[in-house]
Amino acid sequence: MANTCIVCGQAAGSGEHVFPAALGGRRTNKNIYCTTHDNGYSSLVADLANQVDVLNAMLGVVPDHSDDVKSVLARDDSSGEEVRLSVKESSFTSPRVISQELVANGVVMNMSFPSRQALNQWLAEQKANGIDVTPLQKAQEHPYYLGAVHHQRRFGGPCGLGAVAYVTQTFLAQAFPALARSGDVAQFIAYTQAIAKLAQISSGCGEPNDGPANPRLETARQAFEAALAPWGGQAPVWWDFDIQPDAAPNAFEFGHRVTVGVDASDGQIFGRLSLFSSIHFGMRFGTASAGAETKTVTVDIDPMAARPPNDIKKVESASAIARVAVPKQPTAGLAAAISNGSQDGVFSELLRKIEARSLGKAAAKMHAELAAYSTLAEFEGEQLISRVLEGQAQRVLNIAKWVLQNFKATLPAEVLPGLQPTIDAMTAHDPSSTNGLTPMASATLALAIGALAAQLREDIKAGRLDEHRIAELMGEGPGAAVVGRAVLAPIVQALSQ
Ligand SMILES: [Zn+2]
């Protein structure tokens, strides 16, 4: 029985990921879906994976079908060019012309390439097109500083919720194989099937579509409405902004949690999914026939674990503490959370935690790099500190910007118009320069790096430079004070004259 597809009853054996591979799931199970029905859910999973890809990229999740960390495409505000972002690096996706000048026999161009490989490929393409390119100087590696980067993603929607329902349904089938095939959850499976069919059609998830309307879309929409009818016309899955009933913290930092269970008192078959320990969903699968036992299975999933066995932690209990309270209006919780700001709060809190983790990692790396300081002569030691800070220059630039923006906010209204252009110019971007900054912004960055270098040296000599202190100096606290004193000095001087 356990070897049949929970949708159609035919032989299972597709070996799909129990938790989606794109979200860092590492385990597969051949006992849940046939190949047709496994594949049928893939568009739905892709929709959810797209929605959280920027979070996966910021955390450095390696999708299970990939060898490299997740990256996302975004747009650099100052150059307008596309950039690829991941925890490892940010780079432009295409060659960039920084400047060009007509000369007697052609054009002199100053260009930038994402990598040496991209440069060589471009040279080969020009040659193939009969264009003669002569490098005037050897290629050099330069950092490029990004300004605001835009990456927009919608989150949730009918397909996002449908994907959440499908993922949790798969865990229900794994933990309660007989129940999943009993017919007690048939209406829930019909719902995930119907939303999965919508997701397979272009614009079925509500995304804009310029092309002609697909006639299949209307049919799929009607089938979806029909699948919702037994649920009162509402999806049996919803956002949950309440405090989670299972107080046990996730076993992993930024871990996902799937909870499935049955409450014998009234037969409720319930499910919960928490993404990144932050974004919570609840759902009701149906009602179990008499004779069911109360049981809950909770699985924590580490999206950052490269492979089994330490990627999951499973707990079984004979309680139904995680049972759900079905909202009268499944969308009411979300609507309220959007209007009172708590949905925004969930995301900004998650982003804050991810940023804190990234700062901690940078501090650990710098601490390791600076360990050699004590073995070096004074001059070499200074060079080491500068090198280590240059490696974090984008972070230093961001601190300088943060300091200047905050300073601007404290200025009295009568001096603001006079000073604002200067303050903004101090960290202005210039996409036509090699490093993406104006000369004035480059000078501000150099000032900030110099000030932090002096502080790092002082702290090393005083024996107080541990990872925690480095994180403070590279963040928006003590570090901002150090950077602030340096970059604000010229303005303060001008003001006092
Ligand atoms: Zn099937």
Side-chain angles (χ1 to χ4, degrees), residues 5 7-8 34 37:
C5 170
V7 181
C8 66
C34 67
H37 286 116

Side-chain angles (χ1 to χ4, degrees), residues 449-468:
I449 287 180
L452 284 171
Q455 188 63 53
L456 285 174
R457 192 169 52 239
E458 192 185 316
D459 289 351
I460 292 176
K461 289 189 171 161
R464 59 168 176 246
L465 195 77
D466 53 10
E467 269 183 45
H468 177 72

